[in-house]
Amino acid sequence: LLQDESPYGALGMAGNVRERTSSLFDPEAPEGDLVARGGCWQDLGPATLLPSRHSLSRTQTDDRVGLRLVWSV
């Protein structure tokens, strides 16, 4: 594997910004926070790893969070 390649062949998934997802941080709170995955330019240590989870308010915006658009070809 390349250094920034997932086991599925996805590239560029680490660093830059955390990825906003539609997953609930706490599944028992359907109106609660969402999950942001991965690390960003400001994180240190384990928070930089792709599997890391961060709680994200539905209205939160800042320069550490982005999103990834995906479509099937």
Side-chain angles (χ1 to χ4, degrees):
L1 294 176
L2 296 173
Q3 187 171 1
D4 190 17
E5 181 180 5
S6 79
Y8 304 101
L11 300 173
M13 298 290 289
N16 195 16
V17 294
R18 296 175 183 158
E19 303 283 337
R20 178 185 291 270
T21 72
S22 60
S23 301
L24 294 172
F25 191 77
D26 179 1
E28 295 188 18
E31 299 301 319
D33 292 350
L34 300 176
V35 172
R37 290 213 175 265
C40 71
W41 56 271
Q42 189 181 34
D43 291 333
L44 299 173
T48 63
L49 300 175
L50 190 57
S52 64
R53 296 174 78 237
H54 309 272
S55 177
L56 181 68
S57 160
R58 291 172 186 264
T59 58
Q60 178 180 341
T61 60
D62 63 42
D63 60 359
R64 297 171 295 166
V65 179
L67 60 101
R68 184 175 301 267
L69 302 176
V70 180
W71 70 94
S72 179
V73 289

